[in-house]
Amino acid sequence: RGPTNFQVDERVQYSKNDKNIEILANNLILKYWDGENLGLFGFVNIPYKKVNENNGIGDLIVGLGPRKKINDLHFLSYVSLTLPTGDFNKNLGNGRYDKKIGLFTTYLNRNNGYDINNVIEYNFAGRNERGVTSLNELYLASFLGKEISNKLRIGLGLTDLIKQNDDYDLKVRASARYTASKFLHFELIGELPVSTKNMPKSKGVGVFMRYNL
């Protein structure tokens, strides 16, 4: 959480997989926090995507849940709903309503500048407009960060998307975050595949900008 209750999170990401599918995505995420040690967290994710030659609005996501801080350990949880606002026939959306539950934890060690971040999210996949019910998904991630200076942090970790039938997509992610001020910071990320099972291998880069209103 930043010094204010509202944050604008702008994320531009590019990825390409071994099926020659290129995705350029812009996610505008509006976030809300309140409370000091206990409060609420809410967000609205408004995506715009370009998938090969097609482009347009993707699937809108809204979420809400409690957050808690115990000394240097932060918990952030939510339930969310994905709305089928993207064009399913152009691969801009899933064409279904998905429900997710998620938990983020961050531990900040202020003495040596390390941080440990963990994510767990479960997606209850809905039925798309063709009447096909998709497999549920479990997303896991773990990252270790280190403060290089009072403005620069670097991080390294793993992400894994696991489908209900045990297919998976394991990736390594590296990041560098620059804090311009207490209201504004930038982050550069890169992802490479480690291991997959019956899922396309993809690699990508992204630039994030977060501004506290």
Side-chain angles (χ1 to χ4, degrees), residues 147-161:
E147 183 181 68
I148 304 302
S149 70
N150 61 350
K151 289 186 176 295
L152 180 64
R153 300 186 74 92
I154 60 172
L156 185 67
L158 293 171
T159 71
D160 197 8
L161 180 65

Side-chain angles (χ1 to χ4, degrees), residues 148-177:
I148 304 302
S149 70
N150 61 350
K151 289 186 176 295
L152 180 64
R153 300 186 74 92
I154 60 172
L156 185 67
L158 293 171
T159 71
D160 197 8
L161 180 65
I162 307 168
K163 289 188 175 290
Q164 195 174 356
N165 62 354
D166 294 329
D167 292 344
Y168 64 87
D169 180 14
L170 179 66
K171 295 179 181 178
V172 61
R173 173 184 284 191
S175 67
R177 180 174 126 171

Side-chain angles (χ1 to χ4, degrees), residues 191-211:
E191 289 185 335
L192 291 173
V194 175
S195 178
T196 62
K197 178 184 174 184
N198 298 323
M199 295 179 70
K201 290 184 178 181
S202 66
K203 53 188 176 181
V205 294
V207 177
F208 300 170
M209 185 278 291
R210 301 182 181 97
Y211 182 75

Side-chain angles (χ1 to χ4, degrees), residues 13-17 19-25 49-54:
Q13 295 172 272
Y14 170 81
S15 65
K16 183 177 182 180
N17 65 28
K19 306 297 183 184
N20 287 321
I21 297 177
E22 293 183 87
I23 300 175
L24 179 63
K49 299 169 68 176
K50 184 179 186 299
V51 182
N52 290 346
E53 71 279 2
N54 298 316

Side-chain angles (χ1 to χ4, degrees), residues 4-136:
T4 67
N5 284 1
F6 293 93
Q7 184 183 84
V8 176
D9 189 336
E10 178 79 9
R11 305 183 180 189
V12 179
Q13 295 172 272
Y14 170 81
S15 65
K16 183 177 182 180
N17 65 28
D18 55 4
K19 306 297 183 184
N20 287 321
I21 297 177
E22 293 183 87
I23 300 175
L24 179 63
N26 179 79
N27 287 277
L28 175 62
I29 308 172
L30 308 176
K31 299 177 181 177
Y32 170 80
W33 290 268
D34 67 17
E36 189 59 34
N37 294 322
L38 179 65
L40 283 177
F41 168 75
F43 68 92
V44 177
N45 184 359
I46 307 169
Y48 189 89
K49 299 169 68 176
K50 184 179 186 299
V51 182
N52 290 346
E53 71 279 2
N54 298 316
N55 62 85
I57 295 293
D59 290 340
L60 185 75
I61 306 173
V62 293
L64 181 69
R67 52 173 295 275
K68 174 69 176 174
K69 184 177 77 168
I70 304 174
N71 296 323
D72 291 332
L73 184 60
H74 301 250
F75 299 88
L76 189 155
S77 60
Y78 65 88
V79 294
S80 72
L81 177 64
T82 302
L83 307 173
T85 51
D87 192 326
F88 176 68
N89 296 314
K90 293 183 178 180
N91 295 321
L92 299 175
N94 292 326
R96 63 181 193 244
Y97 291 91
D98 287 356
K99 297 174 286 292
K100 295 180 181 180
I101 55 173
L103 174 67
F104 292 71
T105 66
T106 297
Y107 173 73
L108 297 172
N109 189 318
R110 301 184 187 279
N111 293 327
N112 57 27
Y114 283 100
D115 60 88
I116 302 171
N117 307 275
N118 295 288
V119 181
I120 180 169
E121 180 183 79
Y122 195 82
N123 180 32
F124 300 90
R127 180 178 298 178
N128 66 29
E129 55 189 58
R130 294 178 183 170
V132 177
T133 300
S134 299
L135 295 172
N136 293 344

